[in-house]
Amino acid sequence: MKYLIIIIIILIPFLGISKTLENLEYIPLFNNDVAAIKKGNEWRFIDQDGKIIVDFRKHLVSNQTEKASYPIFSNERDLIAHQKDGALNYVYIDKTGKAVIKPQFLNAVNFEYGKALLLKVEKETIGSNDIFNKDVVSYHYFEVVIDKVGKTLDHLTQLAIHVSPKYKNPPAISSRFISRNLVALKGSDNKCSVKKID
């Protein structure tokens, strides 16, 4: 009996009983030990054994490469665009699909060197409307650097930039990492500067 079980286990792949991922539209190369696979307009992540680690989702953010656009994990994090109050907010998930940094960003990019650049939205109460018994609020954002748990390491823009709470297209992130601890900042005059991030 023991030998019969061993023979069946060995033959399972040859009998076609193993689980096969079929009808996929795109399979990119592995990045950070996982690959995104596409079916319809949804993506899922598999590990190097073909095991599904993050099931199909519509809101994974794609990254443009030389050949295609697809979601990637970078520094154990992936971006999801999360709908909140009629506007997109970005959230980072880990390889279990769990949100590890709450949605609070107007725009965001993948992690590099254990850090990410993003536009962090802040809500400021600037007064109150006594007739409607409501606060008058202003939304603004800063370009910031965060670590892998969401802690703000540095503000890259010093002045708050006003944004509508119902924005259609998020502003672009103008900074970029040029090394592990250096960020290139683009000024309003289109001239650049370099800032060290500890």
Side-chain angles (χ1 to χ4, degrees):
M1 182 68 175
K2 178 179 172 184
Y3 295 111
L4 179 61
I5 293 172
I6 291 172
I7 291 170
I8 290 172
I9 290 172
I10 291 171
L11 289 177
I12 284 176
F14 301 106
L15 297 173
I17 301 174
S18 65
K19 184 167 181 160
T20 303
L21 300 169
E22 296 176 340
N23 299 319
L24 302 174
E25 294 167 20
Y26 191 75
I27 307 169
L29 297 175
F30 278 81
N31 181 57
N32 207 191
D33 297 326
V34 296
I37 56 175
K38 184 178 183 185
K39 189 172 186 179
N41 63 349
E42 296 181 328
W43 293 89
R44 73 168 34 156
F45 283 98
I46 59 171
D47 66 13
Q48 293 193 6
D49 293 323
K51 180 183 170 193
I52 297 163
I53 59 168
V54 176
D55 210 354
F56 282 120
R57 293 190 176 194
K58 292 181 182 179
H59 307 294
L60 294 171
V61 175
S62 292
N63 297 276
Q64 187 64 47
T65 67
E66 305 87 42
K67 298 181 180 181
S69 180
Y70 53 87
I72 63 167
F73 269 92
S74 180
N75 293 160
E76 309 296 318
R77 301 285 183 262
D78 185 52
L79 267 174
I80 288 187
H82 175 77
Q83 194 78 16
K84 181 181 175 185
D85 299 329
L88 284 179
N89 279 256
Y90 291 83
V91 61
Y92 290 94
I93 62 168
D94 64 14
K95 287 184 180 177
T96 67
K98 177 184 166 197
V100 291
I101 301 173
K102 67 180 181 175
Q104 58 182 315
F105 311 118
L106 186 62
N107 203 347
V109 297
N110 277 327
F111 274 83
E112 279 185 86
Y113 311 113
K115 304 174 187 91
L117 299 167
L118 45 91
L119 303 179
K120 187 173 184 177
V121 178
E122 295 184 2
K123 178 179 168 183
E124 178 185 14
T125 302
I126 56 176
S128 64
N129 183 323
D130 295 334
I131 296 171
F132 294 108
N133 197 24
K134 290 191 175 207
D135 289 335
V136 177
V137 297
S138 175
Y139 294 91
H140 48 270
Y141 68 90
F142 294 91
E143 199 163 315
V144 298
V145 179
I146 63 167
D147 66 11
K148 286 175 65 173
V149 295
K151 178 184 170 196
T152 300
L153 300 175
D154 207 331
H155 278 75
L156 301 177
T157 51
Q158 299 304 315
L159 298 175
I161 302 167
H162 179 75
V163 67
S164 165
K166 302 290 184 190
Y167 59 89
K168 297 281 185 205
N169 297 311
I173 295 172
S174 61
S175 303
R176 64 184 171 86
F177 284 107
I178 56 174
S179 76
R180 176 170 297 284
N181 294 315
L182 296 177
V183 175
L185 308 169
K186 190 173 185 182
S188 57
D189 58 359
N190 282 334
K191 296 203 174 177
C192 294
S193 59
V194 175
K195 183 171 187 175
K196 184 174 182 183
I197 309 295
D198 294 319

